[in-house]
Amino acid sequence: MPTSSTLWLRVGRFMQLGLEGVAGATLFAMMLLTTADVIGRYFFNSPILGTVELTQLMLAAVVFLSLPVVCWREEHVSVDLLDAIFPPRLIWIRQVIVNLIVTGALWVMARRVWALAERAMEWGDVTEFLRIPNGYLIYLISIMLAASALLTLLRAVLYFLEGIRVVERGGPLSPEKGKGGDT
């Protein structure tokens, strides 16, 4: 029977693969749509109607479906201005603080975007040409922001636990695990 930490790693890996799979499939569909549109436009003088709208919607979906995985792996763009200031033994404190700030920012954005999704659904907001309801995509964006906030909070907790030595090596600060995102 797997331990609780092994179970969490499996759940995390399943979530990661699921989000990456859906984002990848969406990106592949976007590529196929664009290819079919270009072929139809240039060889048959018959473009696919609504390609621009569908591409915009799929691009937003790809970005926000990828965000939780990026936050968990800490693969976002970062500037290492503070690396020279912090002694190696205090890096965990910096990481806890940074991850808590990011968690707060993501949570505020998730709540605000959820309100925008509710408003879009109430007003019947749809895309201009294909009349696709915008609210569903906005809800997806909000859910992915909230998931990213939760994963970033979990990352902060892991840094804290390893920093106070509750979790021994193998946590986010361990060199064997790289930067901490490999699960």
Side-chain angles (χ1 to χ4, degrees):
M1 183 167 174
T3 64
S4 63
S5 62
T6 306
L7 181 63
W8 280 110
L9 288 175
R10 287 182 184 172
V11 168
R13 185 74 176 146
F14 178 75
M15 181 205 62
Q16 176 183 332
L17 289 174
L19 289 173
E20 288 174 341
V22 173
T26 304
L27 185 61
F28 187 71
M30 192 167 52
M31 180 197 66
L32 289 177
L33 177 65
T34 302
T35 302
D37 182 54
V38 168
I39 290 170
R41 180 180 315 270
Y42 290 108
F43 293 113
F44 303 111
N45 200 24
S46 180
I48 299 174
L49 300 177
T51 300
V52 172
E53 279 184 8
L54 289 172
T55 302
Q56 289 171 342
L57 295 172
M58 287 190 280
L59 182 60
V62 166
V63 168
F64 285 97
L65 286 166
S66 302
L67 185 61
V69 176
V70 169
C71 288
W72 177 249
R73 291 182 179 172
E74 293 185 310
E75 292 180 342
H76 17 50
V77 175
S78 62
V79 179
D80 58 358
L81 295 175
L82 302 176
D83 284 357
I85 297 171
F86 275 85
R89 60 184 166 76
L90 297 179
I91 289 175
W92 69 274
I93 294 173
R94 180 195 68 198
Q95 290 304 106
V96 168
I97 292 169
V98 167
N99 278 283
L100 289 175
I101 291 169
V102 171
T103 297
L106 287 167
W107 187 251
V108 167
M109 286 188 286
R111 289 179 50 109
R112 185 65 191 127
V113 171
W114 187 269
L116 292 174
E118 288 177 336
R119 187 172 70 187
M121 294 302 277
E122 284 176 18
W123 291 359
D125 193 15
V126 295
T127 61
E128 185 177 345
F129 188 72
L130 296 176
R131 315 292 297 165
I132 299 170
N134 287 324
Y136 297 116
L137 178 64
I138 300 171
Y139 276 128
L140 174 70
I141 291 169
S142 178
I143 290 166
M144 292 299 106
L145 284 167
S148 299
L150 291 173
L151 290 171
T152 305
L153 178 62
L154 180 58
R155 176 63 64 196
V157 169
L158 290 172
Y159 276 120
F160 179 75
L161 292 176
E162 189 165 344
I164 62 171
R165 303 203 192 294
V166 170
V167 174
E168 290 301 320
R169 302 192 52 85
L173 298 177
S174 296
E176 314 73 70
K177 289 292 218 177
K179 198 171 177 189
D182 300 330
T183 53

